[in-house]
Amino acid sequence: MLFGRKQRLITRLLVVEDEPLIAFDTERMLREHGYEVIATVDRVADARREIAGATEKVDLILADVRLADGSGIDVARAAGERSIPVMFVTGTCPPEARALAVGFLAKPFQERDLLGAIDAVDAAMAGRATKRLPQGFELYVTPD
């Protein structure tokens, strides 16, 4: 496709965030840029339910590590059982969480950094290299 946007592998996302304003802004940003947010949840139990009951493929989960009822690490473990990649979006990513995620975006973040982080994960999943990572983002997977 000449001068067109590359075909995305990541189009359907689950947002797991217990801070209402961040959850709202993240969902709005994603929808404005053509992503489908299948759900935005604020609890580990709700995220597990969404993961287990997903009738359509979830391409990526954006998860905070610290949630009101537990840890996003538990969300990542449940996602791993279904081979759903997780990108942590949190203040500090604990070392043990890194083995469960495709990347980590530090809060607070700019809209362009969130979108760039998702694009970097998409590129790695498609086997493409990323020239420059967004500010505050660490990619834990490499292109195949």
Side-chain angles (χ1 to χ4, degrees), residues 14-131:
L14 171 64
V15 177
V16 184
E17 172 61 61
D18 65 348
E19 181 62 40
L21 186 57
I22 294 171
F24 174 80
D25 282 347
T26 300
E27 185 173 334
R28 178 195 53 78
M29 279 186 251
L30 293 171
R31 289 184 193 279
E32 284 180 359
H33 289 277
Y35 292 98
E36 181 182 350
V37 178
I38 62 159
T40 299
V41 298
D42 62 355
R43 305 180 64 73
V44 173
D46 294 335
R48 284 183 175 158
R49 211 170 3 266
E50 287 291 335
I51 291 166
T55 56
E56 294 185 49
K57 186 175 181 280
V58 176
D59 300 317
L60 181 66
I61 297 173
L62 303 179
D64 194 353
V65 171
R66 291 184 182 92
L67 300 167
D69 70 332
S71 173
I73 293 172
D74 295 328
V75 173
R77 286 188 182 117
E81 292 172 7
R82 302 278 312 266
S83 299
I84 302 170
V86 173
M87 181 173 77
F88 286 116
V89 182
T90 189
T92 305
C93 189
E96 66 272 17
R98 295 168 192 231
L100 300 169
V102 294
F104 154 65
L105 179 62
K107 286 181 185 174
F109 56 84
Q110 299 286 324
E111 179 175 336
R112 69 178 177 271
D113 295 327
L114 174 63
L115 298 171
I118 295 169
D119 284 345
V121 171
D122 193 286
M125 290 171 60
R128 298 186 317 268
T130 302
K131 293 177 186 150

